[in-house]
Amino acid sequence: MVALLQVLILDALITVDNLCKSYRNGTVKAVDGASFTVSQGEVFGLIGPNGAGKTTILGCLLALIEPTSGKVSIGGKSPYDLAVKPLIGFLPERPCYNRWMTIEQFLKYQHRLAKRPEEELPQAIKEVLALVELDVDPKKRRIRELSRGMLQRIGLAQALIGKPQLCFLDEPTSGMDPLGFVLIRKLLLKCKTEGITVVLNSHHLQEVEKVCDRIAFIRRGKIESVQSVESLAQLSQVLVVEWQSSTGEKSVDVATLEKIARQAGSNLIDNNGDSARFAAPDKDVAANLIVALTGGGVKIYQATFEKRELVEMFYEDSN
Amino acid sequence: MNRAIFDFTLQDKFSNWKLQLPLLGFVIMPAYMLYLAVQSTPERIAAGTTIWHYFENPAVYLFYSYIFVSDGFVSSRPTGDSTAMTLLFTRPITRFDYVMTKFVAASLGVTALLLPAALLAHGVSFLIGLPPVFDVSLAASIILNSMLASAFVVFLHCLPGVLGVFTFLMLAGCSSAGDMFLASASSDIPEILKYFAQIMRNINFWIGDFFFPFLNVGQLSSGVSFDYTAIVVYLSNITSYLFLGTYVLAHREFFYASE
């Protein structure tokens, strides 16, 4: 175990090399040649639309799905290796827990399955319930009595009870309220500060972009790009400019707007008469554009960046 | 052997109030059946054979094994539920460990139900003046057949979701139905049902002889020589079921994306 941890600290913790997974005799390719690495202590996001292959990649990393071809290793070892398993905590997307158990029985069972020392158990249960901010009596409440959001918290608690070095979180905010979103961010930050590696899987980038170090964009089973969050911020953003159009005054024509946009290093996306959308790669270009438009006689009363999901921006940009 | 799964398989079942009453009922059932048989059967010897039939009935062993092997019995979830196993196999547990733990726990669980049941039936038998029901050969038969049934049900449990449940229900159902028809063989039943009854009887014998050949320890050495074939068949059955269970489990994929 110590030797494995040393390997994890020195090198990439997870290596996925040309991973392929097909179903139905190869006719359905869930994952098609995915390759990436995850370093120790990194929070790595797998982002993509539904059916992109995110869950299948997680399944291969967890040794729950056998890859058709390619290689997956955790700390240089196969994910099937028993030495790897005690390092892992896993939150499944669908809560599939033993419904008839009380919270305490369930967490005790998971604690024992993770092969943690028995004497740690009472403290471990207290700690994880505090971490996931679940204020219920674990001895009385049964799993079946919990709401979807509470189940998600129990899922997080069982993932953390084995004191994992590597967490796989499949759609961690699924079924959670806004407070739950905040909790997930807090937990991810805590993992980061404690050097726990996290691989998370989501189709909502907003919830994870603030805490992820790098993000892999997946579409139709292929990894389209692996980018740091800083580089993602440089993806084209859309600046929406609205101006005053007085009655009788000639509206701003498209040619003028296009000319001004080009001068400021931007592009006109569309024009609605009293507003227009411009591609603005960064804040400097946006500022130049506003100055140029004002100089061109456009009476701007509002200019804002359009709120778009980062995943949407990425896919639009790559298209 | 995984201690957590072992405890979960046994403790969880015996400590659950929903199951305690039915389990107690299973223990009392043979003694009660014996009492009823004595009341309704003029020949007392026939009543004794009724009890023997209970302890060599494949359906009894299959059902009792299922209670212990199934992860979701208490919550009425089918055996072999892959979603429950998904989380389990992210923990440090080998497929072989899982199969062996389930096998040992279920064997002990079934034995813990049937041995007291046999002892209770023996007590009742003694009280009403019947020949003794319980002896060493019955105890050995119960232990050995509990192991065989548990190995078989563990194998079914390892099959992908619906297949395992379907096979279990078909085998246990045919076995029970065959038994019922066997019991009513002498009574008058409509002509059309006789064909159906014969089919069920055949399936019942087929299950008994092929999947689940009851090992009667008392009869092993009752002939001219010791019946080694029965022992070899018994051991090969248990080994095959455990091997096949591990093999199937090792090749199953535990993720909803693959379903």
Side-chain angles (χ1 to χ4, degrees):
Chain A
M1 177 78 80
V2 174
L4 181 60
L5 278 171
Q6 281 170 346
V7 172
L8 306 185
I9 291 161
L10 294 172
D11 292 315
L13 176 56
I14 298 172
T15 308
V16 176
D17 185 19
N18 202 22
L19 179 72
C20 294
K21 178 65 191 174
S22 308
Y23 296 108
R24 294 179 196 163
N25 296 325
T27 51
V28 179
K29 282 190 173 175
V31 182
D32 189 6
S35 298
F36 60 88
T37 57
V38 182
S39 306
Q40 169 73 24
E42 190 175 19
V43 179
F44 189 82
L46 289 166
I47 309 296
N50 290 331
K54 309 181 296 286
T55 299
T56 307
I57 292 177
L58 271 197
C60 293
L61 287 168
L62 286 159
L64 294 168
I65 296 177
E66 180 86 38
T68 309
S69 64
K71 200 182 162 196
V72 175
S73 69
I74 297 176
K77 290 179 184 285
S78 157
Y80 285 90
D81 198 314
L82 275 196
V84 170
K85 300 273 184 181
L87 304 175
I88 291 175
F90 169 53
L91 168 74
E93 183 190 358
R94 294 179 203 175
C96 45
Y97 316 129
N98 310 90
R99 297 169 62 242
W100 65 94
M101 285 182 162
T102 62
I103 293 172
E104 188 186 49
Q105 284 170 338
F106 176 66
L107 291 176
K108 184 181 171 186
Y109 181 43
Q110 293 302 324
H111 187 265
R112 293 186 69 193
L113 285 176
K115 298 201 169 151
R116 298 296 305 171
E118 205 77 18
E119 60 273 13
E120 278 182 9
L121 180 69
Q123 190 58 29
I125 291 179
K126 268 185 202 165
E127 272 176 25
V128 289
L129 288 179
L131 268 177
V132 300
E133 296 172 8
L134 199 58
D135 189 20
V136 290
D137 185 349
K139 285 187 174 141
K140 286 183 182 165
R141 288 293 288 271
R142 291 188 185 275
I143 301 280
R144 65 163 178 265
E145 295 164 358
L146 302 178
S147 68
R148 179 71 179 83
M150 286 164 107
L151 275 178
Q152 198 71 355
R153 286 168 195 250
I154 284 296
L156 282 165
Q158 65 77 26
L160 296 170
I161 203 161
K163 297 210 184 310
Q165 292 300 305
L166 171 58
C167 280
F168 293 101
L169 310 178
D170 195 357
E171 301 287 356
T173 53
S174 176
M176 280 205 163
D177 56 14
L179 282 175
F181 279 52
V182 176
L183 169 75
I184 295 291
R185 283 198 200 116
K186 268 164 60 181
L187 278 176
L188 290 175
L189 284 171
K190 188 176 182 322
C191 288
K192 224 174 180 176
T193 51
E194 289 178 4
I196 298 170
T197 311
V198 179
V199 176
L200 64 90
N201 188 344
S202 179
H203 56 267
H204 299 295
L205 198 59
Q206 272 180 327
E207 70 197 36
V208 294
E209 62 179 285
K210 287 176 187 160
V211 280
C212 278
D213 296 307
R214 285 188 307 143
I215 290 168
F217 290 93
I218 310 169
R219 190 158 51 180
R220 295 190 198 103
K222 288 179 191 283
I223 303 262
E224 298 210 331
S225 169
V226 180
Q227 301 203 20
S228 66
V229 173
E230 292 83 31
S231 67
L232 278 171
Q234 289 169 7
L235 283 173
S236 295
Q237 300 198 61
V238 174
L239 185 72
V240 182
V241 180
E242 293 174 59
W243 59 80
Q244 208 173 9
S245 55
S246 313
T247 320
E249 206 172 289
K250 194 184 170 187
S251 108
V252 188
D253 64 277
V254 177
T256 311
L257 288 174
E258 278 178 343
K259 192 181 163 191
I260 294 171
R262 268 199 302 277
Q263 282 169 357
S266 172
N267 280 313
L268 176 69
I269 298 170
D270 52 40
N271 172 26
N272 298 322
D274 53 2
S275 70
R277 292 166 76 241
F278 297 91
D282 55 47
K283 286 175 183 172
D284 287 342
V285 173
N288 290 342
L289 182 65
I290 292 167
V291 170
L293 284 169
T294 312
V298 182
K299 292 179 182 172
I300 297 171
Y301 68 87
Q302 184 166 291
T304 49
F305 278 111
E306 192 173 72
K307 285 210 182 292
R308 292 191 304 160
E309 295 257 347
L310 209 50
V311 68
E312 187 189 330
M313 280 164 60
F314 170 79
Y315 288 129
E316 274 181 18
D317 203 58
S318 59
N319 282 339
Chain B
M1 278 279 289
N2 184 292
R3 191 64 204 272
I5 297 173
F6 181 84
D7 288 354
F8 167 71
T9 306
L10 279 184
Q11 274 179 11
D12 188 62
K13 303 290 157 54
F14 283 118
S15 66
N16 193 297
W17 66 268
K18 270 190 194 171
L19 271 180
Q20 278 167 355
L21 211 59
L23 291 180
L24 189 67
F26 295 151
V27 172
I28 296 170
M29 195 191 294
Y32 186 62
M33 278 171 64
L34 184 68
Y35 173 75
L36 287 183
V38 167
Q39 297 295 312
S40 58
T41 316
E43 302 126 43
R44 295 191 145 197
I45 301 298
T49 52
T50 304
I51 285 308
W52 257 103
H53 188 67
Y54 178 86
F55 289 110
E56 57 184 39
N57 188 337
V60 170
Y61 286 89
L62 285 177
F63 180 64
Y64 287 6
S65 304
Y66 174 74
I67 292 174
F68 290 101
V69 173
S70 165
D71 285 332
F73 190 82
V74 185
S75 66
S76 321
R77 286 200 171 189
T79 183
D81 186 350
S82 69
T83 49
M85 285 187 179
T86 299
L87 197 56
L88 189 78
F89 287 121
T90 60
R91 301 294 188 192
I93 298 152
T94 62
R95 294 346 188 219
F96 179 70
D97 259 1
Y98 180 76
V99 167
M100 288 309 290
T101 308
K102 281 278 178 191
F103 164 65
V104 172
S107 301
L108 286 174
V110 178
T111 307
L113 281 184
L114 286 177
L115 275 184
L119 279 169
L120 194 64
H122 181 76
V124 171
S125 163
F126 176 76
L127 286 176
I128 55 182
L130 280 175
V133 172
F134 191 82
D135 57 13
V136 177
S137 74
L138 177 63
S141 297
I142 286 174
I143 293 168
L144 293 175
N145 289 293
S146 298
M147 288 168 70
L148 179 56
S150 299
F152 182 54
V153 175
V154 165
F155 164 63
L156 296 182
H157 177 70
C158 295
L159 293 175
V162 180
L163 185 62
V165 180
F166 177 76
T167 315
F168 170 78
L169 290 176
M170 195 197 77
L171 294 183
C174 286
S175 186
S176 308
D179 262 2
M180 281 188 274
F181 280 118
L182 278 173
S184 62
S186 57
S187 62
D188 291 331
I189 54 170
E191 192 66 29
I192 193 154
L193 279 180
K194 283 187 178 169
Y195 295 103
F196 184 61
Q198 191 56 44
I199 292 168
M200 298 306 280
R201 265 178 234 151
N202 288 344
I203 294 175
N204 178 252
F205 285 129
W206 179 64
I207 292 166
D209 291 344
F210 186 76
F211 284 111
F212 196 81
F214 183 83
L215 188 73
N216 191 330
V217 175
Q219 287 175 2
L220 281 179
S221 54
S222 61
V224 180
S225 60
F226 190 81
D227 187 1
Y228 287 106
T229 316
I231 296 286
V232 171
V233 169
Y234 171 82
L235 290 175
S236 73
N237 272 343
I238 286 197
T239 316
S240 305
Y241 290 141
L242 295 178
F243 171 77
L244 285 173
T246 310
Y247 181 83
V248 170
L249 211 52
H251 288 82
R252 255 179 84 179
E253 297 193 324
F254 295 95
F255 228 58
Y256 34 83
S258 63
E259 290 176 356

